[in-house]
Structures are given as C-alpha cells and as structure tokens.
Amino acid sequence: MTASVGVAMVAPADDIWPDQLARVALERADRALLAAKAAGRNQVVCSRAERAA
C-alpha cells in the first residue's frame, strides 16, 4: 500500500475572490498530489504560493 498526499493553502493575500477559494485550493492540491505521485509515491508535497500576474 502506498500513500501520496498533496497539500495546499490559500491565503487572503493571494488576491483571490472569495467565491473562487475552494476551486483554487483544489487545483493547487491536485497539482501537488500529481507531483507527489511523479516523485515516486509515498510522498507529501506542499503547493507553493502562486501570485497572479
């Protein structure tokens, strides 16, 4: 059995509208999960803060 985990955080300073917080958090967590699996599974990967351009 293996476990891969993607962790994400959305901070108020991320300039994200309140109605988009859940979507953005899930997208970040999903990317972190895919990175954990690509790194060989049995990994925990935290997403990095992303600033809007």
Side-chain angles (χ1 to χ4, degrees):
M1 179 182 292
T2 65
S4 298
V5 179
V7 179
M9 182 179 86
V10 179
D14 284 345
D15 295 329
I16 298 169
W17 291 98
D19 62 331
Q20 298 175 343
L21 287 174
R23 180 187 57 79
V24 170
L26 286 173
E27 287 174 356
R28 290 180 184 178
D30 188 48
R31 284 194 299 270
L33 175 60
L34 293 175
K37 289 182 176 186
R41 302 193 194 294
N42 288 326
Q43 304 277 328
V44 175
V45 174
C46 298
S47 70
R48 299 184 136 198
E50 300 169 4
R51 289 280 187 204

